[in-house]
Amino acid sequence: MKNLPEKLQPAVYVGTYEKYNNGSIDGAWLKLQDYKDADAFYQKCKDLHSDEVDPEFMFQDIENMPTGFSKTEDIKEAYEKLEVIDSIELDAEIITAGIECEIEPDEIEECYAGSYNSDIDFAVELADSCGFEEPTSWPNNCIDWERAARDLMFDYREHNGYYFRNI
């Protein structure tokens, strides 16, 4: 898998219902990227709680779960999302920005619009590339580039200078 920044490496604190019901939160943080798939992850959970005959795993907390990872009970789905992230052919910084903008991993490449120093630079470049020359259309009807950029950001999201189109 891609070497994603720490803040994008999903982790789950795994305890068991039996331990919890007996007043214990004994368990461990497990990073999903440390295991090749959901089966390997669950095997580690079984090994971790081998002191129980048939442990019922309790995901007590989550860390670094970007959009799409909120249902920690479905670890298999989380691994599917990680596979999508791994298949994205963009730099990790761009992927991180897309996820921080709450764009679904399978839409990041389609939504990515480029890297710019400011919303105004982005608005000017987009206007130039789209060839808007009609005097009554955007951005010519709002000479104020700050306003043009502000209006444009209803259709785009930005994180750390990376811009993404809303779908």
Side-chain angles (χ1 to χ4, degrees), residues 139-159:
N140 294 324
N141 64 340
C142 53
I143 304 300
D144 180 354
W145 281 105
E146 285 183 26
R147 177 181 170 207
R150 189 174 51 249
D151 290 351
L152 182 61
M153 293 311 292
F154 285 107
D155 295 324
Y156 289 84
R157 302 176 203 184
E158 178 273 337
H159 183 79

Side-chain angles (χ1 to χ4, degrees), residues 17-127:
Y17 283 96
E18 181 179 326
K19 286 182 176 81
Y20 183 80
N21 289 336
N22 289 314
S24 172
I25 58 168
D26 282 346
W29 281 103
L30 301 179
K31 286 184 180 179
L32 274 62
Q33 287 190 299
D34 291 345
Y35 309 95
K36 68 177 182 169
D37 57 23
D39 291 336
F41 176 86
Y42 280 117
Q43 184 58 53
K44 178 61 179 178
C45 293
K46 287 177 187 175
D47 294 345
L48 179 65
H49 295 290
S50 62
D51 58 334
E52 294 182 30
V53 176
D54 188 18
E56 186 179 356
F57 306 121
M58 181 181 191
F59 301 141
Q60 296 167 308
D61 201 0
I62 58 174
E63 272 187 353
N64 308 322
M65 293 289 191
T67 301
F69 290 113
S70 59
K71 295 180 181 175
T72 58
E73 290 78 19
D74 193 353
I75 294 297
K76 188 172 186 166
E77 183 179 321
Y79 274 96
E80 290 169 3
K81 296 274 185 178
L82 285 174
E83 284 180 26
V84 169
I85 289 170
D86 196 44
S87 71
I88 297 172
E89 295 187 14
L90 296 171
D91 290 340
E93 285 183 28
I94 299 168
I95 296 168
T96 301
I99 290 172
E100 291 289 335
C101 287
E102 298 184 354
I103 296 174
E104 288 294 325
D106 61 345
E107 297 173 347
I108 290 175
E109 285 182 294
E110 179 183 350
C111 293
Y112 181 58
S115 175
Y116 301 90
N117 292 325
S118 69
D119 291 354
I120 292 172
D121 288 349
F122 175 59
V124 170
E125 177 63 31
L126 185 61

